[in-house]
Amino acid sequence: MDLQLSGRVAVVTGASKGIGLAVARTLHEEGAHVVAVSRTRTDDLPDKVVHVAADLMDPQAPARVVAAAVEEFGGVDILVNNAGGPPPGVTLPRVGFLAPDDAAWREMFEFNLFAAVRMVRAAVPVMLERGGGAIVNVSSTMGKQPSAMNVDYGAAKAALDHVGKALSEEYGPQGIRVNTVLPGAVLTDWWTKEGGAADVIAGMAGADKDSVISTVAPQMMRMVTGRLVHPQEVADAVALLASPRSGSTTGSEVVVDGGFLKEL
């Protein structure tokens, strides 16, 4: 299926690894001009993808990113707010409401909500000048499933879900569609890196890291597929929502979680 993305300009944040890298590659393969945003460039990005080095914890960074896209390609048609997860230097999961202090809460919201809000604020005027566009926010099923684990992260993602629907209501009549993708547990370095989620859960469950990834975590989360989600599976959903082929889809939440969420 032709996603009709050829020649469109896409900004993808958190594009150096995991879901963001898969999204950047996929949009590039579909013919889009891709501006990949991360602190450092990875060799895994295609050569023709333009990299903008930025720390989105810096309130001024989003405006610089959008300005770079305008200078390089003349505008922005697609914004994928993928940057998020544990802030730099933070390891999740973090168990218990009392675990994060005020500074941890602020840092979590800065990275998972305010960075996206600022990216949207910078991109919307440029999109309106081009007659519209598509925004896809990458949230998390944890925003829908309250838990004593990662409560600050879940709260930030729930807020991002709210913002997405509000933006869709305001800017849909002006040609900007806004949708949200909710991944579940995705096989990224959040899980696999040294000291990451798999190591933390292994210590809690008395298991080894490989068993956590292959068996313990999927069973613990009651994932009906029996495995963690692959980043490409999330990227495919993002690409479809960014495409004009989804022209009547806005304000939606697309879940890619291996069957973790069970509510109606």
Side-chain angles (χ1 to χ4, degrees):
M1 180 173 67
D2 179 10
L3 293 182
Q4 301 174 7
L5 293 173
S6 182
R8 295 178 185 269
V9 182
V11 174
V12 182
T13 67
S16 65
K17 56 190 175 182
I19 294 171
L21 176 59
V23 170
R25 283 172 163 172
T26 301
L27 296 180
H28 171 71
E29 290 166 0
E30 292 293 331
H33 301 302
V34 178
V35 176
V37 184
S38 61
R39 290 176 179 81
T40 58
R41 182 180 182 114
T42 173
D43 292 338
D44 294 327
L45 282 171
D47 290 341
K48 291 187 178 180
V49 168
V50 173
H51 179 258
V52 176
D55 179 357
L56 294 180
M57 299 285 276
D58 174 4
Q60 307 306 316
R64 293 197 299 270
V65 168
V66 171
V70 171
E71 181 177 359
E72 187 73 27
F73 297 117
V76 175
D77 303 301
I78 298 164
L79 169 63
V80 181
N81 276 315
N82 169 73
V90 174
T91 297
L92 297 181
R94 184 161 50 193
V95 181
F97 175 76
L98 297 180
D101 59 13
D102 280 5
W105 275 88
R106 283 192 293 268
E107 191 175 40
M108 189 65 73
F109 269 71
E110 192 72 39
F111 194 41
N112 288 279
L113 176 64
F114 300 145
V117 167
R118 293 177 186 125
M119 282 300 310
V120 172
R121 188 183 293 141
V124 160
V126 177
M127 287 183 169
L128 291 175
E129 288 177 2
R130 289 165 72 89
I135 297 172
V136 183
N137 294 324
V138 179
S139 182
S140 169
T141 51
M142 298 195 77
K144 296 292 183 186
Q145 184 61 61
S147 170
M149 185 178 289
N150 303 331
V151 60
D152 50 342
Y153 175 72
K157 290 302 192 183
L160 182 62
D161 298 345
H162 179 101
V163 169
K165 286 187 177 291
L167 288 169
S168 173
E169 180 73 13
E170 179 172 358
Y171 290 106
Q174 299 175 69
I176 299 178
R177 295 182 301 106
V178 186
N179 293 288
T180 303
V181 174
L182 281 66
V186 183
L187 189 58
T188 65
D189 78 333
W190 178 339
W191 285 87
T192 61
K193 69 182 179 181
E194 192 72 25
D199 282 336
V200 173
I201 293 174
M204 295 165 56
D208 63 86
K209 180 177 183 175
D210 290 342
S211 296
V212 167
I213 292 172
S214 66
T215 306
V216 175
Q219 289 181 350
M220 180 178 67
M221 301 179 72
R222 297 196 300 146
M223 299 174 72
V224 298
T225 57
R227 62 168 175 83
L228 301 188
V229 177
H230 298 310
Q232 187 61 51
E233 293 170 325
V234 182
D236 290 342
V238 170
L240 182 58
L241 290 173
S243 164
R245 301 294 291 264
S246 295
S248 291
T249 303
T250 190
S252 70
E253 295 176 340
V254 176
V255 178
V256 186
D257 72 344
F260 164 65
L261 288 179
K262 304 296 194 295
E263 80 276 6
L264 297 176

